[in-house]
Amino acid sequence: MSNLLIKETVSQLYLLTPAEISDLKSGVYSGVLLLGYDMKGDTPAPIEYYLTNTADDPDDGSIFTIDYTDSMGNTQSIKLEHDFKEGVHPMYYGINGTHDDTDKINKIFKKFSKISGQGSGTMKIGRAINIPDNGILEGCTVYITNYQNCYIASGNNTIVRDNTFYGTGAKLASNTNSSCCLYFWRVQDIFVSGNSFYNFKALDHNAACGIITIQETQGARVENNYFDDSNFGFIDIGAGTISGNCIFTNNTSYSNSDIFISLASGGKDVFFSNTNINKMSDHIVSGNIHIKNRWATNSDPLGRHGVLVHYAGEIGRAHV
């Protein structure tokens, strides 16, 4: 690392001097070692950036464009790039949950397929996040700031695992036909495992919206997730509208909701028409635990019904 130019923060990176840039171009320095994003040490580890001729746009994480004035008084620029090969920790894009990180997260997922917080990544979203096909979101703490068009959507063959999700903590209106957290629509082969959900509160007990919502989806596997008793009103896991071949196993709910897992169907299959599925089929539901921890009171006459699995519409085969 002796021939790396060391900078403590991104702000310092943007202030490279013409002399430093000249030394980078001439090979005096092989690259830049960045010690943090907003402050020294706020990223998991220092990372190296190198001069690049890439045509990709700067994204303030993997690629930086540095403007400078040359000796003739002309404005010039260089690009510095780090190749994230094993996924991106959100802190390398300055994502720390302090502000709305939606744009930065979507920017990462447009270029890379994996965000891995390694148990220390914190982010805040105020609008929809889109995980691409074959994408992974893992090891992050995610704060959802509202329930109107604010959720994490997924492509095919995606993995969402070992994250902690927090709702607003306040009872707010939601999108009744989508989700307040994870939304899988018209996709196949998704894996949702080891996540925890806290503070998702609907206006009443009968919110049709799910914390995890699965619609027109085949081959979802949802296992070993935890739903805390700080949740209220939302269905924990909702699978319906022509979803099939899904597995729900070893999930645990303490949620103050009417229904833990809802399997419902209806309408005509328009996405999987070539498989001739017009009703739900072949779900496996096993090993799930729904803890009854709250009953009706004078101030809350509805209490909680505590339904483990609810079936509605035409059911093919659901193995419980």
Side-chain angles (χ1 to χ4, degrees), residues 78-115:
I78 60 168
K79 285 183 178 179
L80 295 169
E81 181 175 17
H82 177 85
D83 184 9
F84 291 99
K85 295 179 179 179
E86 300 298 327
V88 181
H89 193 292
M91 289 181 180
Y92 289 122
Y93 274 71
I95 296 171
N96 56 23
T98 304
H99 307 288
D100 186 348
D101 300 308
T102 303
D103 290 338
K104 288 184 176 182
I105 298 166
N106 279 327
K107 190 179 293 185
I108 294 174
F109 274 134
K110 284 183 178 180
K111 184 171 183 178
F112 302 100
S113 62
K114 181 178 179 180
I115 292 179

PDB file of all heavy atoms in Angstrom, residues 78-115:
ATOM      1  N   ILE A  78     -11.102  13.133 -13.979  1.00  0.00           N
ATOM      2  CA  ILE A  78     -10.682  11.734 -13.987  1.00  0.00           C
ATOM      3  C   ILE A  78     -11.772  10.919 -13.308  1.00  0.00           C
ATOM      4  O   ILE A  78     -12.619  11.450 -12.575  1.00  0.00           O
ATOM      5  CB  ILE A  78      -9.345  11.518 -13.246  1.00  0.00           C
ATOM      6  CG1 ILE A  78      -9.477  11.958 -11.779  1.00  0.00           C
ATOM      7  CG2 ILE A  78      -8.211  12.236 -13.952  1.00  0.00           C
ATOM      8  CD1 ILE A  78      -8.304  11.517 -10.921  1.00  0.00           C
ATOM      9  N   LYS A  79     -11.751   9.615 -13.551  1.00  0.00           N
ATOM     10  CA  LYS A  79     -12.646   8.705 -12.846  1.00  0.00           C
ATOM     11  C   LYS A  79     -11.813   7.729 -12.033  1.00  0.00           C
ATOM     12  O   LYS A  79     -10.796   7.215 -12.492  1.00  0.00           O
ATOM     13  CB  LYS A  79     -13.530   7.927 -13.821  1.00  0.00           C
ATOM     14  CG  LYS A  79     -14.669   8.728 -14.432  1.00  0.00           C
ATOM     15  CD  LYS A  79     -15.531   7.839 -15.320  1.00  0.00           C
ATOM     16  CE  LYS A  79     -16.705   8.622 -15.902  1.00  0.00           C
ATOM     17  NZ  LYS A  79     -17.546   7.764 -16.797  1.00  0.00           N
ATOM     18  N   LEU A  80     -12.282   7.467 -10.814  1.00  0.00           N
ATOM     19  CA  LEU A  80     -11.677   6.476  -9.950  1.00  0.00           C
ATOM     20  C   LEU A  80     -12.720   5.397  -9.663  1.00  0.00           C
ATOM     21  O   LEU A  80     -13.885   5.701  -9.395  1.00  0.00           O
ATOM     22  CB  LEU A  80     -11.202   7.104  -8.642  1.00  0.00           C
ATOM     23  CG  LEU A  80     -10.073   8.128  -8.759  1.00  0.00           C
ATOM     24  CD1 LEU A  80      -9.877   8.863  -7.439  1.00  0.00           C
ATOM     25  CD2 LEU A  80      -8.770   7.435  -9.168  1.00  0.00           C
ATOM     26  N   GLU A  81     -12.289   4.134  -9.694  1.00  0.00           N
ATOM     27  CA  GLU A  81     -13.256   3.039  -9.570  1.00  0.00           C
ATOM     28  C   GLU A  81     -12.745   1.966  -8.610  1.00  0.00           C
ATOM     29  O   GLU A  81     -11.573   1.635  -8.571  1.00  0.00           O
ATOM     30  CB  GLU A  81     -13.518   2.408 -10.935  1.00  0.00           C
ATOM     31  CG  GLU A  81     -14.543   1.277 -10.907  1.00  0.00           C
ATOM     32  CD  GLU A  81     -14.886   0.751 -12.289  1.00  0.00           C
ATOM     33  OE1 GLU A  81     -14.103   1.021 -13.231  1.00  0.00           O
ATOM     34  OE2 GLU A  81     -15.929   0.087 -12.445  1.00  0.00           O
ATOM     35  N   HIS A  82     -13.700   1.425  -7.829  1.00  0.00           N
ATOM     36  CA  HIS A  82     -13.459   0.219  -7.039  1.00  0.00           C
ATOM     37  C   HIS A  82     -14.409  -0.861  -7.521  1.00  0.00           C
ATOM     38  O   HIS A  82     -15.611  -0.616  -7.687  1.00  0.00           O
ATOM     39  CB  HIS A  82     -13.689   0.466  -5.546  1.00  0.00           C
ATOM     40  CG  HIS A  82     -13.509  -0.772  -4.710  1.00  0.00           C
ATOM     41  ND1 HIS A  82     -12.277  -1.168  -4.250  1.00  0.00           N
ATOM     42  CD2 HIS A  82     -14.395  -1.709  -4.287  1.00  0.00           C
ATOM     43  CE1 HIS A  82     -12.412  -2.299  -3.564  1.00  0.00           C
ATOM     44  NE2 HIS A  82     -13.688  -2.645  -3.574  1.00  0.00           N
ATOM     45  N   ASP A  83     -13.888  -2.044  -7.743  1.00  0.00           N
ATOM     46  CA  ASP A  83     -14.705  -3.152  -8.246  1.00  0.00           C
ATOM     47  C   ASP A  83     -15.203  -3.991  -7.073  1.00  0.00           C
ATOM     48  O   ASP A  83     -14.441  -4.746  -6.460  1.00  0.00           O
ATOM     49  CB  ASP A  83     -13.870  -4.015  -9.197  1.00  0.00           C
ATOM     50  CG  ASP A  83     -14.692  -5.132  -9.835  1.00  0.00           C
ATOM     51  OD1 ASP A  83     -15.931  -5.122  -9.671  1.00  0.00           O
ATOM     52  OD2 ASP A  83     -14.090  -5.999 -10.496  1.00  0.00           O
ATOM     53  N   PHE A  84     -16.480  -3.826  -6.746  1.00  0.00           N
ATOM     54  CA  PHE A  84     -17.079  -4.622  -5.673  1.00  0.00           C
ATOM     55  C   PHE A  84     -17.458  -5.985  -6.251  1.00  0.00           C
ATOM     56  O   PHE A  84     -18.488  -6.149  -6.894  1.00  0.00           O
ATOM     57  CB  PHE A  84     -18.321  -3.928  -5.117  1.00  0.00           C
ATOM     58  CG  PHE A  84     -18.029  -2.673  -4.344  1.00  0.00           C
ATOM     59  CD1 PHE A  84     -18.169  -1.432  -4.940  1.00  0.00           C
ATOM     60  CD2 PHE A  84     -17.611  -2.739  -3.030  1.00  0.00           C
ATOM     61  CE1 PHE A  84     -17.905  -0.269  -4.227  1.00  0.00           C
ATOM     62  CE2 PHE A  84     -17.336  -1.579  -2.304  1.00  0.00           C
ATOM     63  CZ  PHE A  84     -17.483  -0.335  -2.910  1.00  0.00           C
ATOM     64  N   LYS A  85     -16.655  -6.981  -5.977  1.00  0.00           N
ATOM     65  CA  LYS A  85     -16.879  -8.291  -6.581  1.00  0.00           C
ATOM     66  C   LYS A  85     -17.781  -9.189  -5.752  1.00  0.00           C
ATOM     67  O   LYS A  85     -18.456 -10.059  -6.286  1.00  0.00           O
ATOM     68  CB  LYS A  85     -15.527  -8.989  -6.803  1.00  0.00           C
ATOM     69  CG  LYS A  85     -14.633  -8.271  -7.807  1.00  0.00           C
ATOM     70  CD  LYS A  85     -13.306  -8.994  -7.969  1.00  0.00           C
ATOM     71  CE  LYS A  85     -12.425  -8.287  -8.980  1.00  0.00           C
ATOM     72  NZ  LYS A  85     -11.103  -8.954  -9.149  1.00  0.00           N
ATOM     73  N   GLU A  86     -17.784  -9.014  -4.457  1.00  0.00           N
ATOM     74  CA  GLU A  86     -18.531  -9.909  -3.570  1.00  0.00           C
ATOM     75  C   GLU A  86     -19.719  -9.212  -2.914  1.00  0.00           C
ATOM     76  O   GLU A  86     -20.098  -9.537  -1.804  1.00  0.00           O
ATOM     77  CB  GLU A  86     -17.593 -10.465  -2.493  1.00  0.00           C
ATOM     78  CG  GLU A  86     -16.427 -11.255  -3.040  1.00  0.00           C
ATOM     79  CD  GLU A  86     -16.881 -12.479  -3.808  1.00  0.00           C
ATOM     80  OE1 GLU A  86     -17.909 -13.056  -3.429  1.00  0.00           O
ATOM     81  OE2 GLU A  86     -16.203 -12.853  -4.779  1.00  0.00           O
ATOM     82  N   GLY A  87     -20.318  -8.276  -3.593  1.00  0.00           N
ATOM     83  CA  GLY A  87     -21.431  -7.554  -3.010  1.00  0.00           C
ATOM     84  C   GLY A  87     -20.976  -6.263  -2.363  1.00  0.00           C
ATOM     85  O   GLY A  87     -19.782  -6.060  -2.089  1.00  0.00           O
ATOM     86  N   VAL A  88     -21.911  -5.398  -2.092  1.00  0.00           N
ATOM     87  CA  VAL A  88     -21.605  -4.052  -1.605  1.00  0.00           C
ATOM     88  C   VAL A  88     -22.138  -3.874  -0.185  1.00  0.00           C
ATOM     89  O   VAL A  88     -23.319  -4.130   0.085  1.00  0.00           O
ATOM     90  CB  VAL A  88     -22.237  -2.986  -2.520  1.00  0.00           C
ATOM     91  CG1 VAL A  88     -21.906  -1.592  -2.019  1.00  0.00           C
ATOM     92  CG2 VAL A  88     -21.772  -3.165  -3.959  1.00  0.00           C
ATOM     93  N   HIS A  89     -21.281  -3.461   0.705  1.00  0.00           N
ATOM     94  CA  HIS A  89     -21.745  -3.023   2.019  1.00  0.00           C
ATOM     95  C   HIS A  89     -22.312  -1.619   1.853  1.00  0.00           C
ATOM     96  O   HIS A  89     -21.667  -0.755   1.232  1.00  0.00           O
ATOM     97  CB  HIS A  89     -20.600  -3.021   3.025  1.00  0.00           C
ATOM     98  CG  HIS A  89     -21.058  -2.888   4.443  1.00  0.00           C
ATOM     99  ND1 HIS A  89     -21.630  -1.736   4.940  1.00  0.00           N
ATOM    100  CD2 HIS A  89     -21.047  -3.771   5.478  1.00  0.00           C
ATOM    101  CE1 HIS A  89     -21.941  -1.907   6.206  1.00  0.00           C
ATOM    102  NE2 HIS A  89     -21.599  -3.137   6.567  1.00  0.00           N
ATOM    103  N   PRO A  90     -23.505  -1.339   2.390  1.00  0.00           N
ATOM    104  CA  PRO A  90     -24.123  -0.020   2.152  1.00  0.00           C
ATOM    105  C   PRO A  90     -23.287   1.157   2.625  1.00  0.00           C
ATOM    106  O   PRO A  90     -23.391   2.257   2.072  1.00  0.00           O
ATOM    107  CB  PRO A  90     -25.453  -0.101   2.910  1.00  0.00           C
ATOM    108  CG  PRO A  90     -25.354  -1.286   3.800  1.00  0.00           C
ATOM    109  CD  PRO A  90     -24.394  -2.229   3.167  1.00  0.00           C
ATOM    110  N   MET A  91     -22.442   0.959   3.615  1.00  0.00           N
ATOM    111  CA  MET A  91     -21.634   2.073   4.100  1.00  0.00           C
ATOM    112  C   MET A  91     -20.670   2.599   3.051  1.00  0.00           C
ATOM    113  O   MET A  91     -20.236   3.754   3.120  1.00  0.00           O
ATOM    114  CB  MET A  91     -20.862   1.653   5.355  1.00  0.00           C
ATOM    115  CG  MET A  91     -21.720   1.465   6.589  1.00  0.00           C
ATOM    116  SD  MET A  91     -20.720   1.001   8.024  1.00  0.00           S
ATOM    117  CE  MET A  91     -21.997   0.871   9.296  1.00  0.00           C
ATOM    118  N   TYR A  92     -20.306   1.782   2.063  1.00  0.00           N
ATOM    119  CA  TYR A  92     -19.402   2.255   1.014  1.00  0.00           C
ATOM    120  C   TYR A  92     -20.082   3.214   0.052  1.00  0.00           C
ATOM    121  O   TYR A  92     -19.421   3.803  -0.807  1.00  0.00           O
ATOM    122  CB  TYR A  92     -18.811   1.070   0.254  1.00  0.00           C
ATOM    123  CG  TYR A  92     -17.806   0.280   1.055  1.00  0.00           C
ATOM    124  CD1 TYR A  92     -17.986  -1.077   1.291  1.00  0.00           C
ATOM    125  CD2 TYR A  92     -16.678   0.900   1.576  1.00  0.00           C
ATOM    126  CE1 TYR A  92     -17.062  -1.802   2.031  1.00  0.00           C
ATOM    127  CE2 TYR A  92     -15.755   0.186   2.331  1.00  0.00           C
ATOM    128  CZ  TYR A  92     -15.953  -1.163   2.550  1.00  0.00           C
ATOM    129  OH  TYR A  92     -15.040  -1.875   3.294  1.00  0.00           O
ATOM    130  N   TYR A  93     -21.384   3.374   0.190  1.00  0.00           N
ATOM    131  CA  TYR A  93     -22.127   4.389  -0.563  1.00  0.00           C
ATOM    132  C   TYR A  93     -22.639   5.494   0.363  1.00  0.00           C
ATOM    133  O   TYR A  93     -23.503   6.274  -0.014  1.00  0.00           O
ATOM    134  CB  TYR A  93     -23.300   3.756  -1.297  1.00  0.00           C
ATOM    135  CG  TYR A  93     -22.933   3.187  -2.650  1.00  0.00           C
ATOM    136  CD1 TYR A  93     -22.162   2.053  -2.762  1.00  0.00           C
ATOM    137  CD2 TYR A  93     -23.350   3.803  -3.831  1.00  0.00           C
ATOM    138  CE1 TYR A  93     -21.811   1.526  -3.998  1.00  0.00           C
ATOM    139  CE2 TYR A  93     -23.014   3.290  -5.074  1.00  0.00           C
ATOM    140  CZ  TYR A  93     -22.248   2.150  -5.147  1.00  0.00           C
ATOM    141  OH  TYR A  93     -21.893   1.638  -6.385  1.00  0.00           O
ATOM    142  N   GLY A  94     -22.122   5.543   1.564  1.00  0.00           N
ATOM    143  CA  GLY A  94     -22.558   6.556   2.514  1.00  0.00           C
ATOM    144  C   GLY A  94     -23.937   6.293   3.090  1.00  0.00           C
ATOM    145  O   GLY A  94     -24.575   7.198   3.636  1.00  0.00           O
ATOM    146  N   ILE A  95     -24.404   5.054   2.999  1.00  0.00           N
ATOM    147  CA  ILE A  95     -25.727   4.686   3.516  1.00  0.00           C
ATOM    148  C   ILE A  95     -25.573   4.298   4.978  1.00  0.00           C
ATOM    149  O   ILE A  95     -24.868   3.340   5.310  1.00  0.00           O
ATOM    150  CB  ILE A  95     -26.318   3.526   2.704  1.00  0.00           C
ATOM    151  CG1 ILE A  95     -26.567   3.952   1.264  1.00  0.00           C
ATOM    152  CG2 ILE A  95     -27.601   3.010   3.345  1.00  0.00           C
ATOM    153  CD1 ILE A  95     -26.957   2.814   0.343  1.00  0.00           C
ATOM    154  N   ASN A  96     -26.259   5.037   5.845  1.00  0.00           N
ATOM    155  CA  ASN A  96     -26.135   4.744   7.280  1.00  0.00           C
ATOM    156  C   ASN A  96     -27.441   4.883   8.040  1.00  0.00           C
ATOM    157  O   ASN A  96     -27.451   4.848   9.280  1.00  0.00           O
ATOM    158  CB  ASN A  96     -25.077   5.644   7.907  1.00  0.00           C
ATOM    159  CG  ASN A  96     -25.361   7.123   7.682  1.00  0.00           C
ATOM    160  OD1 ASN A  96     -26.492   7.528   7.446  1.00  0.00           O
ATOM    161  ND2 ASN A  96     -24.308   7.944   7.741  1.00  0.00           N
ATOM    162  N   GLY A  97     -28.569   5.051   7.330  1.00  0.00           N
ATOM    163  CA  GLY A  97     -29.865   5.135   7.996  1.00  0.00           C
ATOM    164  C   GLY A  97     -30.189   6.490   8.572  1.00  0.00           C
ATOM    165  O   GLY A  97     -31.216   6.661   9.235  1.00  0.00           O
ATOM    166  N   THR A  98     -29.346   7.480   8.308  1.00  0.00           N
ATOM    167  CA  THR A  98     -29.601   8.825   8.839  1.00  0.00           C
ATOM    168  C   THR A  98     -30.629   9.568   7.995  1.00  0.00           C
ATOM    169  O   THR A  98     -31.472  10.305   8.524  1.00  0.00           O
ATOM    170  CB  THR A  98     -28.295   9.632   8.884  1.00  0.00           C
ATOM    171  OG1 THR A  98     -27.329   8.922   9.658  1.00  0.00           O
ATOM    172  CG2 THR A  98     -28.527  11.001   9.505  1.00  0.00           C
ATOM    173  N   HIS A  99     -30.563   9.381   6.676  1.00  0.00           N
ATOM    174  CA  HIS A  99     -31.472  10.044   5.746  1.00  0.00           C
ATOM    175  C   HIS A  99     -32.144   8.994   4.866  1.00  0.00           C
ATOM    176  O   HIS A  99     -31.859   7.791   4.983  1.00  0.00           O
ATOM    177  CB  HIS A  99     -30.703  11.048   4.879  1.00  0.00           C
ATOM    178  CG  HIS A  99     -29.888  12.031   5.654  1.00  0.00           C
ATOM    179  ND1 HIS A  99     -30.463  13.046   6.382  1.00  0.00           N
ATOM    180  CD2 HIS A  99     -28.545  12.136   5.833  1.00  0.00           C
ATOM    181  CE1 HIS A  99     -29.511  13.749   6.967  1.00  0.00           C
ATOM    182  NE2 HIS A  99     -28.337  13.218   6.648  1.00  0.00           N
ATOM    183  N   ASP A 100     -33.048   9.423   4.004  1.00  0.00           N
ATOM    184  CA  ASP A 100     -33.695   8.505   3.071  1.00  0.00           C
ATOM    185  C   ASP A 100     -32.652   7.979   2.080  1.00  0.00           C
ATOM    186  O   ASP A 100     -32.086   8.732   1.295  1.00  0.00           O
ATOM    187  CB  ASP A 100     -34.826   9.231   2.334  1.00  0.00           C
ATOM    188  CG  ASP A 100     -35.648   8.295   1.446  1.00  0.00           C
ATOM    189  OD1 ASP A 100     -35.216   7.146   1.212  1.00  0.00           O
ATOM    190  OD2 ASP A 100     -36.724   8.716   0.984  1.00  0.00           O
ATOM    191  N   ASP A 101     -32.407   6.695   2.129  1.00  0.00           N
ATOM    192  CA  ASP A 101     -31.368   6.087   1.311  1.00  0.00           C
ATOM    193  C   ASP A 101     -31.903   5.416   0.053  1.00  0.00           C
ATOM    194  O   ASP A 101     -31.159   4.692  -0.626  1.00  0.00           O
ATOM    195  CB  ASP A 101     -30.611   5.039   2.136  1.00  0.00           C
ATOM    196  CG  ASP A 101     -29.938   5.618   3.368  1.00  0.00           C
ATOM    197  OD1 ASP A 101     -29.195   6.600   3.217  1.00  0.00           O
ATOM    198  OD2 ASP A 101     -30.172   5.094   4.473  1.00  0.00           O
ATOM    199  N   THR A 102     -33.190   5.632  -0.277  1.00  0.00           N
ATOM    200  CA  THR A 102     -33.824   4.913  -1.382  1.00  0.00           C
ATOM    201  C   THR A 102     -33.035   5.032  -2.678  1.00  0.00           C
ATOM    202  O   THR A 102     -32.753   4.026  -3.340  1.00  0.00           O
ATOM    203  CB  THR A 102     -35.262   5.432  -1.596  1.00  0.00           C
ATOM    204  OG1 THR A 102     -36.006   5.301  -0.384  1.00  0.00           O
ATOM    205  CG2 THR A 102     -35.956   4.645  -2.699  1.00  0.00           C
ATOM    206  N   ASP A 103     -32.690   6.239  -3.071  1.00  0.00           N
ATOM    207  CA  ASP A 103     -32.009   6.434  -4.356  1.00  0.00           C
ATOM    208  C   ASP A 103     -30.661   5.727  -4.391  1.00  0.00           C
ATOM    209  O   ASP A 103     -30.297   5.103  -5.394  1.00  0.00           O
ATOM    210  CB  ASP A 103     -31.832   7.928  -4.647  1.00  0.00           C
ATOM    211  CG  ASP A 103     -33.150   8.626  -4.953  1.00  0.00           C
ATOM    212  OD1 ASP A 103     -34.105   7.929  -5.346  1.00  0.00           O
ATOM    213  OD2 ASP A 103     -33.213   9.857  -4.794  1.00  0.00           O
ATOM    214  N   LYS A 104     -29.919   5.816  -3.316  1.00  0.00           N
ATOM    215  CA  LYS A 104     -28.605   5.175  -3.277  1.00  0.00           C
ATOM    216  C   LYS A 104     -28.732   3.653  -3.351  1.00  0.00           C
ATOM    217  O   LYS A 104     -27.938   2.977  -4.031  1.00  0.00           O
ATOM    218  CB  LYS A 104     -27.849   5.574  -2.007  1.00  0.00           C
ATOM    219  CG  LYS A 104     -27.351   7.011  -2.004  1.00  0.00           C
ATOM    220  CD  LYS A 104     -26.522   7.290  -0.762  1.00  0.00           C
ATOM    221  CE  LYS A 104     -25.932   8.690  -0.784  1.00  0.00           C
ATOM    222  NZ  LYS A 104     -25.086   8.958   0.407  1.00  0.00           N
ATOM    223  N   ILE A 105     -29.718   3.101  -2.648  1.00  0.00           N
ATOM    224  CA  ILE A 105     -29.893   1.642  -2.659  1.00  0.00           C
ATOM    225  C   ILE A 105     -30.280   1.166  -4.052  1.00  0.00           C
ATOM    226  O   ILE A 105     -29.728   0.176  -4.564  1.00  0.00           O
ATOM    227  CB  ILE A 105     -30.956   1.224  -1.629  1.00  0.00           C
ATOM    228  CG1 ILE A 105     -30.508   1.607  -0.223  1.00  0.00           C
ATOM    229  CG2 ILE A 105     -31.218  -0.285  -1.707  1.00  0.00           C
ATOM    230  CD1 ILE A 105     -31.594   1.543   0.809  1.00  0.00           C
ATOM    231  N   ASN A 106     -31.220   1.861  -4.679  1.00  0.00           N
ATOM    232  CA  ASN A 106     -31.599   1.477  -6.044  1.00  0.00           C
ATOM    233  C   ASN A 106     -30.429   1.640  -7.009  1.00  0.00           C
ATOM    234  O   ASN A 106     -30.281   0.879  -7.964  1.00  0.00           O
ATOM    235  CB  ASN A 106     -32.801   2.297  -6.505  1.00  0.00           C
ATOM    236  CG  ASN A 106     -34.109   1.752  -5.968  1.00  0.00           C
ATOM    237  OD1 ASN A 106     -34.270   0.547  -5.794  1.00  0.00           O
ATOM    238  ND2 ASN A 106     -35.056   2.641  -5.706  1.00  0.00           N
ATOM    239  N   LYS A 107     -29.591   2.642  -6.770  1.00  0.00           N
ATOM    240  CA  LYS A 107     -28.414   2.847  -7.607  1.00  0.00           C
ATOM    241  C   LYS A 107     -27.475   1.647  -7.507  1.00  0.00           C
ATOM    242  O   LYS A 107     -26.911   1.177  -8.505  1.00  0.00           O
ATOM    243  CB  LYS A 107     -27.710   4.138  -7.179  1.00  0.00           C
ATOM    244  CG  LYS A 107     -26.616   4.593  -8.117  1.00  0.00           C
ATOM    245  CD  LYS A 107     -25.993   5.892  -7.617  1.00  0.00           C
ATOM    246  CE  LYS A 107     -26.956   7.051  -7.691  1.00  0.00           C
ATOM    247  NZ  LYS A 107     -26.307   8.336  -7.317  1.00  0.00           N
ATOM    248  N   ILE A 108     -27.295   1.136  -6.284  1.00  0.00           N
ATOM    249  CA  ILE A 108     -26.444  -0.049  -6.110  1.00  0.00           C
ATOM    250  C   ILE A 108     -27.031  -1.236  -6.855  1.00  0.00           C
ATOM    251  O   ILE A 108     -26.332  -1.955  -7.582  1.00  0.00           O
ATOM    252  CB  ILE A 108     -26.287  -0.387  -4.613  1.00  0.00           C
ATOM    253  CG1 ILE A 108     -25.522   0.713  -3.881  1.00  0.00           C
ATOM    254  CG2 ILE A 108     -25.543  -1.717  -4.456  1.00  0.00           C
ATOM    255  CD1 ILE A 108     -25.468   0.516  -2.379  1.00  0.00           C
ATOM    256  N   PHE A 109     -28.354  -1.456  -6.689  1.00  0.00           N
ATOM    257  CA  PHE A 109     -28.971  -2.636  -7.284  1.00  0.00           C
ATOM    258  C   PHE A 109     -29.056  -2.547  -8.812  1.00  0.00           C
ATOM    259  O   PHE A 109     -29.243  -3.560  -9.473  1.00  0.00           O
ATOM    260  CB  PHE A 109     -30.354  -2.876  -6.694  1.00  0.00           C
ATOM    261  CG  PHE A 109     -30.341  -3.687  -5.429  1.00  0.00           C
ATOM    262  CD1 PHE A 109     -31.094  -3.301  -4.329  1.00  0.00           C
ATOM    263  CD2 PHE A 109     -29.597  -4.846  -5.350  1.00  0.00           C
ATOM    264  CE1 PHE A 109     -31.087  -4.068  -3.165  1.00  0.00           C
ATOM    265  CE2 PHE A 109     -29.573  -5.609  -4.188  1.00  0.00           C
ATOM    266  CZ  PHE A 109     -30.319  -5.222  -3.086  1.00  0.00           C
ATOM    267  N   LYS A 110     -28.916  -1.376  -9.368  1.00  0.00           N
ATOM    268  CA  LYS A 110     -28.867  -1.277 -10.829  1.00  0.00           C
ATOM    269  C   LYS A 110     -27.538  -1.773 -11.377  1.00  0.00           C
ATOM    270  O   LYS A 110     -27.445  -2.184 -12.535  1.00  0.00           O
ATOM    271  CB  LYS A 110     -29.101   0.179 -11.262  1.00  0.00           C
ATOM    272  CG  LYS A 110     -30.556   0.616 -11.181  1.00  0.00           C
ATOM    273  CD  LYS A 110     -30.722   2.039 -11.688  1.00  0.00           C
ATOM    274  CE  LYS A 110     -32.191   2.456 -11.637  1.00  0.00           C
ATOM    275  NZ  LYS A 110     -32.384   3.861 -12.120  1.00  0.00           N
ATOM    276  N   LYS A 111     -26.501  -1.748 -10.544  1.00  0.00           N
ATOM    277  CA  LYS A 111     -25.172  -2.136 -11.011  1.00  0.00           C
ATOM    278  C   LYS A 111     -24.705  -3.461 -10.424  1.00  0.00           C
ATOM    279  O   LYS A 111     -24.055  -4.256 -11.099  1.00  0.00           O
ATOM    280  CB  LYS A 111     -24.168  -1.035 -10.665  1.00  0.00           C
ATOM    281  CG  LYS A 111     -22.774  -1.301 -11.196  1.00  0.00           C
ATOM    282  CD  LYS A 111     -21.873  -0.099 -11.019  1.00  0.00           C
ATOM    283  CE  LYS A 111     -20.496  -0.365 -11.635  1.00  0.00           C
ATOM    284  NZ  LYS A 111     -19.612   0.815 -11.510  1.00  0.00           N
ATOM    285  N   PHE A 112     -25.045  -3.691  -9.168  1.00  0.00           N
ATOM    286  CA  PHE A 112     -24.600  -4.902  -8.481  1.00  0.00           C
ATOM    287  C   PHE A 112     -25.815  -5.698  -8.019  1.00  0.00           C
ATOM    288  O   PHE A 112     -26.868  -5.145  -7.756  1.00  0.00           O
ATOM    289  CB  PHE A 112     -23.731  -4.549  -7.272  1.00  0.00           C
ATOM    290  CG  PHE A 112     -22.523  -3.725  -7.615  1.00  0.00           C
ATOM    291  CD1 PHE A 112     -22.535  -2.350  -7.415  1.00  0.00           C
ATOM    292  CD2 PHE A 112     -21.393  -4.306  -8.145  1.00  0.00           C
ATOM    293  CE1 PHE A 112     -21.435  -1.578  -7.720  1.00  0.00           C
ATOM    294  CE2 PHE A 112     -20.280  -3.536  -8.464  1.00  0.00           C
ATOM    295  CZ  PHE A 112     -20.295  -2.172  -8.251  1.00  0.00           C
ATOM    296  N   SER A 113     -25.646  -6.982  -7.883  1.00  0.00           N
ATOM    297  CA  SER A 113     -26.779  -7.830  -7.530  1.00  0.00           C
ATOM    298  C   SER A 113     -26.885  -8.096  -6.033  1.00  0.00           C
ATOM    299  O   SER A 113     -27.870  -8.670  -5.577  1.00  0.00           O
ATOM    300  CB  SER A 113     -26.675  -9.179  -8.261  1.00  0.00           C
ATOM    301  OG  SER A 113     -25.498  -9.865  -7.874  1.00  0.00           O
ATOM    302  N   LYS A 114     -25.897  -7.656  -5.269  1.00  0.00           N
ATOM    303  CA  LYS A 114     -25.877  -8.043  -3.857  1.00  0.00           C
ATOM    304  C   LYS A 114     -25.527  -6.871  -2.954  1.00  0.00           C
ATOM    305  O   LYS A 114     -24.521  -6.194  -3.160  1.00  0.00           O
ATOM    306  CB  LYS A 114     -24.858  -9.174  -3.646  1.00  0.00           C
ATOM    307  CG  LYS A 114     -24.752  -9.691  -2.221  1.00  0.00           C
ATOM    308  CD  LYS A 114     -23.750 -10.831  -2.157  1.00  0.00           C
ATOM    309  CE  LYS A 114     -23.575 -11.385  -0.758  1.00  0.00           C
ATOM    310  NZ  LYS A 114     -22.593 -12.494  -0.713  1.00  0.00           N
ATOM    311  N   ILE A 115     -26.382  -6.645  -1.950  1.00  0.00           N
ATOM    312  CA  ILE A 115     -26.065  -5.749  -0.842  1.00  0.00           C
ATOM    313  C   ILE A 115     -25.929  -6.611   0.402  1.00  0.00           C
ATOM    314  O   ILE A 115     -26.871  -7.311   0.790  1.00  0.00           O
ATOM    315  CB  ILE A 115     -27.145  -4.675  -0.637  1.00  0.00           C
ATOM    316  CG1 ILE A 115     -27.164  -3.699  -1.820  1.00  0.00           C
ATOM    317  CG2 ILE A 115     -26.897  -3.912   0.661  1.00  0.00           C
ATOM    318  CD1 ILE A 115     -28.213  -2.611  -1.709  1.00  0.00           C
TER     319      ILE A 115
END
